[in-house]
Amino acid sequence: MLLHIPAVLSADELRQIRAVLEAAAWEDGRRTAGHRAQAVKTNQQLPLESGAARELGAIIADRLMRHPTFLSAALPLRSVPPRFNRYAGEGAYGNHVDNAIFPVPGSPLSVRTDLSITVFLCEPESYDGGELIIEDTFGQQAVKLPAGDAVLYPGSSLHRVTPVTRGARLASFFWVQSLVPQDHRRRMLYDLDQSIQRLTGDHPDHASVDQLTNIYHNLLREWSIT
Ligand code: NI
């Protein structure tokens, strides 16, 4: 499932985040690329251990963990701290797959990359190119969202970022291990949750609300791995 999550960040938060990023010291994105990815990656990234990455990453992780659409679709168990990248001057990232497992810094835990998330930090009209192209089961999707919006997609997808030919594209991205590893099961739980919420809104006293909520939790109990 590929899902657009609107309004993760407010206009004020975006201004604050962009101001920090514009003053930050960026490094060559090839530093963290694997052997195959190095040949196709020409972007910049914030050093993972930098104060700016930690400070801004904490804001983004906090906003997402309180966003009902993200929680309902991702069913997050744990995640790596958000990272930041910058594409400008024809910078691009060719077709690649992300690693299946990432260590969580400062912790013995690892994250299985069930889901990838990209939060767009610049208005789409401020740069040309920079589409995130995701090869989904339904074909190729080109994603370029308003500043503050995010896209959530399966970590198993081949994906790329097209060259930025004008302006600069700033984004945050990271990976989430879900309580429910299988994409099709998360999809069913998300659809069921959304239906329960609509029914609750339209008919709050309907007897089926409790029954459907019970089914939702029983499925989650059956399918979740902690
Ligand atoms: Ni990637």
Side-chain angles (χ1 to χ4, degrees):
M1 173 169 65
L2 189 148
L3 191 70
H4 174 189
I5 303 176
V8 174
L9 299 166
S10 69
D12 275 353
E13 287 163 344
L14 281 167
R15 264 192 298 276
Q16 180 198 343
I17 288 170
R18 281 197 299 251
V20 174
L21 290 180
E22 274 153 22
W26 295 84
E27 66 178 8
D28 190 324
R30 278 171 289 205
R31 197 186 135 194
T32 56
H35 180 69
R36 283 183 66 78
Q38 276 195 4
V40 295
K41 190 176 184 189
T42 53
N43 67 357
Q44 296 173 293
Q45 65 194 16
L46 274 194
L48 303 182
E49 64 282 1
S50 72
R54 281 209 290 269
E55 176 202 341
L56 303 183
I59 297 173
I60 288 176
D62 174 76
R63 298 304 177 271
L64 275 165
M65 291 308 286
R66 292 195 275 125
H67 197 297
T69 308
F70 172 77
L71 295 174
S72 174
L75 298 167
L77 174 62
R78 57 177 167 263
S79 58
V80 295
R83 302 175 173 200
F84 295 85
N85 57 21
R86 180 177 186 273
Y87 293 79
E90 305 284 333
Y93 197 167
N95 246 3
H96 66 280
V97 283
D98 298 333
N99 289 351
I101 309 282
F102 278 95
V104 179
S107 140
L109 297 172
S110 297
V111 165
R112 187 188 57 235
T113 56
D114 296 327
L115 290 157
S116 291
I117 184 156
T118 295
V119 184
F120 290 76
L121 300 174
C122 295
E123 290 303 343
E125 54 278 9
S126 70
Y127 59 97
D128 288 337
E131 282 97 1
L132 172 61
I133 310 286
I134 300 163
E135 312 230 352
D136 191 38
T137 43
F138 294 110
Q140 202 168 278
Q141 315 277 331
V143 183
K144 185 170 178 176
L145 297 178
D149 288 13
V151 62
L152 185 69
Y153 62 99
S156 54
S157 318
L158 259 177
H159 55 277
R160 64 181 180 275
V161 176
T162 63
V164 171
T165 55
R166 178 185 62 88
R169 172 199 195 266
L170 297 169
S172 177
F173 65 100
F174 63 105
W175 299 274
V176 176
Q177 179 168 338
S178 177
L179 289 161
V180 178
Q182 296 86 358
D183 184 60
H184 67 282
R185 287 181 173 167
R186 282 195 305 273
R187 172 80 211 222
M188 286 190 274
L189 288 168
Y190 177 73
D191 288 343
L192 180 55
D193 184 43
Q194 298 299 302
S195 304
I196 292 168
Q197 288 186 35
R198 272 195 301 274
L199 181 61
T200 308
D202 293 346
H203 305 283
D205 300 322
H206 199 291
S208 291
V209 169
D210 285 337
Q211 206 160 15
L212 290 167
T213 303
N214 194 29
I215 292 170
Y216 175 87
H217 285 284
N218 286 338
L219 285 172
L220 184 56
R221 194 175 289 114
E222 189 107 345
W223 289 341
S224 59
I225 299 170
T226 57

